[in-house]
Amino acid sequence: MINVNALACDLRKTVDQRVRDYEIKLLLSYIVSSPGKGPLGVEHLALDSSALHIKRFVSECTGLGVMTAASQALFDWKPFTSGLSSFDVLPEKLRGAYAKTGVRPDLLYDLAAGPVAGEARGRRRDGPQMFPPGEGTTGQRKRLGELAHWSVDHGDHAYFMSWVWLGAGGVYVDIFLPDGSAALTGLKTGWIDVPGDDAKPWQFHVPRSDRRRAASPDPEGGLMVDLPLPEFSGEGAVTRAINRVGLAAEEAMDRAFNREENQLGMLAGVPVRGRWIRGDVLGVARHEVMLGVLGERIEVDLRAQRERLATATDRLDTFLDGRLLTVVRPLDNPPPTWDRISAELLEQS
């Protein structure tokens, strides 16, 4: 979650380091982790006491991070050849590939099987039961209907939605995928906890109306009138645009690396610059995160990295995605040495 939100900003603009650090501090102050492999938690009393815009910030940031974590577990994906993982579905360089107006999913995942759009929602939940009853919610149904029509308008574009709930019970996520989607190929679902032996997924039908055509009001004609097609240039254009966005991301990481003054260490011969940031906005910090930027990319098996995170009982909460490195640690543990960080990232015993 920290890794995804560390550069959740417009890469075309200058990233203000003070703002980025403060946002990470704020997020770390509300979201807490349990020791070992325990679930993600939230300071729900503090969240309830916060202004509405702070609640939205924490909820939406959590929604984006959990959606990306869920996509990695569901699709077992690796970054495409460009090394790009996920990005805003409508940055400037993708405006020629997608419709400029209307529905806009949050992130686009560049998978080997093709682009998959992801929709993230983060919401506070007051009820004692974190998961909604088996019929879902009106808001979920409405947004799924909008996404289904967006998919039809964009050539049956693959998509999924995650809906994250934050409350006294912790952080939970509902996952929604359309039947028959290419995104379902090889789906990994064994990690999902389904309450009850007889529980079934919530399903409903979304009318796949053709929004490009409308019935003629002429009672005698009964003809169909063609309406303008949404602006969409096809999957080839999306792939080309993704490659351009990848170049823009590299330029942004170059700028971030050059702004950092403190060198943390070397990783496979590549310098890493950055700093430790404490989540102390609400008082005494419980966690701090190391945010580092590599001078250039190095080869890391992200799938193996995720498997180690999921199965190891005594390892650092460390993640390297592209050139962005994050390490989150509880402050009641001793700080890890750089040698240990490097060894775990590079799978050295």
Side-chain angles (χ1 to χ4, degrees):
M1 183 188 66
I2 295 296
N3 196 288
V4 170
N5 285 286
L7 281 179
C9 52
D10 192 336
L11 297 181
R12 297 166 294 171
K13 300 177 181 177
T14 299
V15 178
D16 191 315
Q17 181 176 297
R18 300 167 303 166
V19 174
R20 182 193 62 183
D21 290 359
Y22 187 79
E23 288 180 347
I24 293 175
K25 278 175 174 279
L26 189 62
L27 195 55
L28 277 175
S29 297
Y30 283 94
I31 302 299
V32 297
S33 63
S34 302
K37 296 169 59 178
L40 200 63
V42 59
E43 287 288 344
H44 63 97
L45 295 178
L47 193 62
D48 290 343
S49 301
S50 301
L52 181 59
H53 60 280
I54 299 296
K55 293 181 184 178
R56 287 175 175 168
F57 169 80
V58 174
S59 299
E60 292 297 339
C61 285
T62 305
L64 282 174
V66 171
M67 178 178 70
T68 299
S71 75
Q72 293 175 2
L74 282 169
F75 306 125
D76 196 25
W77 58 271
K78 290 182 178 180
F80 199 50
T81 53
S82 64
L84 192 63
S85 300
S86 60
F87 47 90
D88 189 325
V89 78
L90 273 185
E92 186 68 32
K93 293 182 182 299
L94 283 178
R95 289 186 182 275
Y98 290 96
K100 295 181 180 179
T101 59
V103 175
R104 172 177 172 164
D106 288 307
L107 293 180
L108 187 69
Y109 295 92
D110 181 20
L111 310 184
V116 175
E119 176 72 2
R121 284 290 185 270
R123 295 292 184 269
R124 175 74 177 90
R125 183 164 175 79
D126 297 320
Q129 296 294 326
M130 292 303 298
F131 287 104
E135 297 181 355
T137 69
T138 301
Q140 289 173 335
R141 180 186 294 267
K142 180 176 182 294
R143 189 55 178 168
L144 283 169
E146 294 170 346
L147 290 170
H149 288 300
W150 176 87
S151 173
V152 171
D153 286 344
H154 290 81
D156 286 335
H157 198 297
Y159 70 95
F160 79 105
M161 182 175 79
S162 70
W163 198 287
V164 175
W165 303 102
L166 292 81
V171 179
Y172 294 80
V173 58
D174 295 330
I175 303 293
F176 301 90
L177 295 114
D179 284 338
S181 169
L184 293 170
T185 303
L187 203 65
K188 309 292 184 182
T189 59
W191 57 276
I192 299 177
D193 291 329
V194 180
D197 295 334
D198 57 349
K200 295 182 179 179
W202 173 50
Q203 295 179 328
F204 72 95
H205 177 67
V206 176
R208 291 169 61 89
S209 59
D210 190 344
R211 299 167 64 186
R212 295 169 295 182
R213 304 175 69 82
S216 168
D218 185 349
E220 297 181 1
L223 301 176
M224 302 298 289
V225 179
D226 286 328
L227 298 178
L229 287 168
E231 181 183 343
F232 180 61
S233 303
E235 188 169 330
V238 173
T239 301
R240 291 192 296 272
I242 284 174
N243 291 334
R244 294 198 301 272
V245 173
L247 294 175
E250 284 297 306
E251 293 171 357
M253 296 308 295
D254 285 338
R255 294 193 297 270
F257 179 81
N258 291 330
R259 281 196 303 270
E260 299 288 352
E261 297 180 354
N262 179 40
Q263 180 160 317
L264 299 167
M266 302 288 289
L267 195 61
V270 175
V272 182
R273 298 178 182 175
R275 80 194 66 79
W276 286 93
I277 303 169
R278 292 198 171 202
D280 56 2
V281 174
L282 295 180
V284 178
R286 287 163 300 180
H287 294 82
E288 69 175 354
V289 59
M290 188 193 76
L291 182 62
V293 184
L294 277 67
E296 61 185 64
R297 289 180 180 269
I298 63 174
E299 292 296 327
V300 174
D301 188 338
L302 293 183
R303 179 177 291 148
Q305 185 183 100
R306 290 194 301 275
E307 291 175 350
R308 293 199 310 275
L309 277 171
T311 58
T313 57
D314 182 25
R315 64 158 288 115
L316 297 174
D317 186 358
T318 305
F319 195 78
L320 174 62
D321 186 8
R323 292 169 59 185
L324 186 64
L325 169 64
T326 52
V327 180
V328 182
R329 77 171 187 96
L331 283 175
D332 54 3
N333 291 346
T337 65
W338 182 258
D339 286 343
R340 183 185 176 191
I341 294 173
S342 176
E344 291 203 8
L345 285 170
L346 301 178
E347 302 181 73
Q348 298 170 353
S349 58

